[in-house]
Amino acid sequence: MKTVVAAIDFGTSKIVTLVAENSGAQRCDIVGAGIASYNGFLDAGWNDPGEIDEKIRASVEDAERQCHRKIREINVGVPGAFTNVYATEVRVQLSGPDPRVTATDVRHVFEEAEKNLGTLAGIKIHASPAWFMVDGGKKTLEPVGMKGRELTAMVSVVVANKYFVDDVNARLNNLGYVAGGFYSTPAGEAMLYLPEEDRDHMAVLIDVGYLNTEVMAVEGDALIFHKCIDIGGGNISADLSMELDIPLRAAEEKIKHNYIYNFGSPDDTYDIPATDGEPARSFTREQVSAIINRRVDELAEEIKKAIDESGLKMGSWSHYYLTGGGLSFNRGGKEYLGSKLQATVRETPKRTVKMNSHAYSSTMGLMDLIIETMEQQHAPSTGFGGAVKDFFRSLLGG
């Protein structure tokens, strides 16, 4: 039997509504995708609150036309700018003459994590373990049955800004839709696009969007750090537009999109066609590079600062990945960023057949997280996996 799932993702330049079919034959088949460009948001909220209802409607109706269905319930992705990530390490003593970890001990771990974190401002939307250890041994995600005296764990919780949840919920209701649930977009994106083998040693995903950049660190099955930096691809275009005195669209389409980092020729030129009242103009690579590199250098410094201040123990085994439409599409972009971070920056692996562009990484990660959560909610709670996953659902009220 097919299950139809709808999700809406609020990016910094576009609202994307996806409709997917989930069946035994195919886990996630995208049957509709509606995209509406808008003015996005910053930390303070929507840049143009008056346009949001219209843009939501346009995005959803576009998806409805493609999938030939009327959407009633929509699952909502909460952008990183409207979330906070909290990670805490806890210890639980094991009891009995021959103590072994039980599902009850795992529950106690998460109860202790709740106590450690205390009262958090906002709405809890995601919880997951980075790892468990028994008596300081090897990290694992399957501790049940292991023998020892002490169970240690790192637990991560994502909390959404109440303003965002209430505002979007009210807007959807006014438009005749129901919010099926609220999900952490960064958690979904990071878990989908960071390879499991890299997450075992901690991995970082850098998503350069239009108005901001998100830095996400994952260990095991948990998003343990998230930082939103208010610099994105749109800032590069705005710099070009202002300093070269050209229209923003021309700066984006004729210069930023075509710029090659590191590998370009000194003789490269960037031509701006004539418009009404404005003659054609041409700029050298030297002129353009000075503007673009300055902004990307600033972004790299902010990324380094975020990681340094996070307390994350990064090492040569920790890999960095780049996604998002702000830098990934430029040849040499990840290499240039890597040189500034003094690390190798890799391209995210292809995880989907449809909508596999870097511009849709957050949207596809969100849908994957929603489907995975729904599968967990309906799966029988047998063994370790069922017990722990059932506890995640109880944490989130599912």
Side-chain angles (χ1 to χ4, degrees), residues 165-362:
V165 173
D166 290 346
D167 184 74
V168 172
N169 192 52
R171 291 178 185 277
L172 290 176
N173 287 339
N174 290 337
L175 292 169
Y177 306 112
V178 174
F182 288 82
Y183 296 80
S184 168
T185 300
E189 180 181 11
M191 294 302 297
L192 179 61
Y193 288 101
L194 290 176
E196 184 175 351
E197 59 271 20
D198 288 342
R199 289 192 264 118
D200 287 342
H201 303 287
M202 194 180 306
V204 174
L205 179 63
I206 301 167
D207 185 335
V208 183
Y210 190 71
L211 294 181
N212 67 25
T213 293
E214 297 186 55
V215 182
M216 297 158 270
V218 171
E219 186 173 7
D221 277 356
L223 178 69
I224 61 172
F225 172 78
H226 175 273
K227 175 72 173 181
C228 194
I229 299 167
D230 290 334
I231 301 174
N235 295 97
I236 299 174
S237 299
D239 290 347
L240 290 166
S241 173
M242 181 177 65
E243 297 191 37
L244 299 178
D245 193 23
I246 58 176
L248 180 61
R249 184 170 181 178
E252 289 183 340
E253 296 180 356
K254 301 300 181 181
I255 301 180
K256 180 188 175 295
H257 291 176
N258 299 317
Y259 184 73
I260 299 173
Y261 292 85
N262 291 336
F263 308 112
S265 167
D267 297 327
D268 287 346
T269 59
Y270 298 86
D271 301 322
I272 308 299
T275 58
D276 292 341
E278 294 289 338
R281 300 176 65 186
S282 182
F283 301 97
T284 66
R285 177 176 176 81
E286 182 179 8
Q287 289 175 292
V288 168
S289 294
I291 299 169
I292 292 180
N293 292 354
R294 183 170 65 247
R295 179 62 80 170
V296 178
D297 291 353
E298 179 190 6
L299 174 59
E301 283 299 317
E302 290 298 320
I303 294 172
K304 287 177 62 178
K305 180 181 177 182
I307 294 173
D308 289 344
E309 293 180 351
S310 71
L312 297 174
K313 297 178 181 178
M314 308 295 294
S316 58
W317 57 85
S318 301
H319 293 154
Y320 293 72
Y321 288 84
L322 176 66
T323 190
L327 190 58
S328 297
F329 295 133
N330 293 89
R331 182 185 170 195
K334 65 180 184 295
E335 290 83 3
Y336 185 85
L337 181 62
S339 70
K340 298 300 175 179
L341 296 177
Q342 297 180 326
T344 300
V345 175
R346 306 178 178 193
E347 184 177 2
T348 51
K350 300 296 183 184
R351 297 298 197 200
T352 59
V353 176
K354 298 179 181 178
M355 301 186 73
N356 59 14
S357 165
H358 292 293
Y360 300 108
S361 293
S362 65

Side-chain angles (χ1 to χ4, degrees), residues 2 19 39 51 54 112 154 170 174 232 234 250-251 264 267 282 284 292 321 323 356 359 388 391:
K2 292 182 178 179
V19 181
N39 289 313
E51 71 170 349
E54 175 191 344
E112 289 301 311
M154 175 71 76
N174 290 337
D267 297 327
S282 182
T284 66
I292 292 180
Y321 288 84
T323 190
N356 59 14
V388 173
F391 187 81

Side-chain angles (χ1 to χ4, degrees), residues 60-79:
V60 175
E61 290 182 349
D62 191 12
E64 288 177 330
R65 283 191 291 270
Q66 293 183 32
C67 70
H68 306 291
R69 290 182 175 87
K70 181 65 179 174
I71 297 172
R72 171 63 177 162
E73 182 177 284
I74 307 174
N75 297 285
V76 181
V78 183

Side-chain angles (χ1 to χ4, degrees), residues 384-395:
F384 163 78
V388 173
K389 289 171 182 175
D390 283 351
F391 187 81
F392 296 161
R393 303 285 72 76
S394 70
L395 257 181

Side-chain angles (χ1 to χ4, degrees), residues 1-148:
M1 180 178 177
K2 292 182 178 179
T3 301
V4 179
V5 181
I8 188 165
D9 176 30
F10 293 88
T12 55
S13 65
K14 59 186 179 298
I15 298 173
V16 181
T17 300
L18 287 188
V19 181
E21 290 182 349
N22 180 22
S23 66
Q26 192 163 5
R27 185 170 184 268
C28 179
D29 180 24
I30 304 299
V31 295
I35 303 169
S37 297
Y38 78 134
N39 289 313
F41 53 81
L42 293 173
D43 286 343
W46 308 113
N47 291 328
D48 184 357
E51 71 170 349
I52 303 301
D53 286 5
E54 175 191 344
K55 297 300 183 178
I56 291 175
R57 187 194 302 276
S59 175
V60 175
E61 290 182 349
D62 191 12
E64 288 177 330
R65 283 191 291 270
Q66 293 183 32
C67 70
H68 306 291
R69 290 182 175 87
K70 181 65 179 174
I71 297 172
R72 171 63 177 162
E73 182 177 284
I74 307 174
N75 297 285
V76 181
V78 183
F82 296 99
T83 65
N84 288 300
V85 176
Y86 301 91
T88 182
E89 185 174 316
V90 296
R91 289 178 173 82
V92 170
Q93 301 304 310
L94 305 178
S95 59
D98 184 30
R100 294 178 183 272
V101 179
T102 66
T104 299
D105 295 318
V106 172
R107 176 176 289 274
H108 288 163
V109 161
F110 285 96
E111 290 171 351
E112 289 301 311
E114 288 273 275
K115 293 178 183 177
N116 279 1
L117 294 173
T119 302
L120 300 174
I123 299 171
K124 198 180 308 174
I125 59 171
H126 187 80
S128 52
W131 47 261
F132 298 93
M133 285 194 304
V134 177
D135 291 347
K138 185 178 180 181
K139 292 179 180 179
T140 179
L141 284 169
E142 299 184 6
V144 172
M146 295 179 67
K147 184 176 180 178

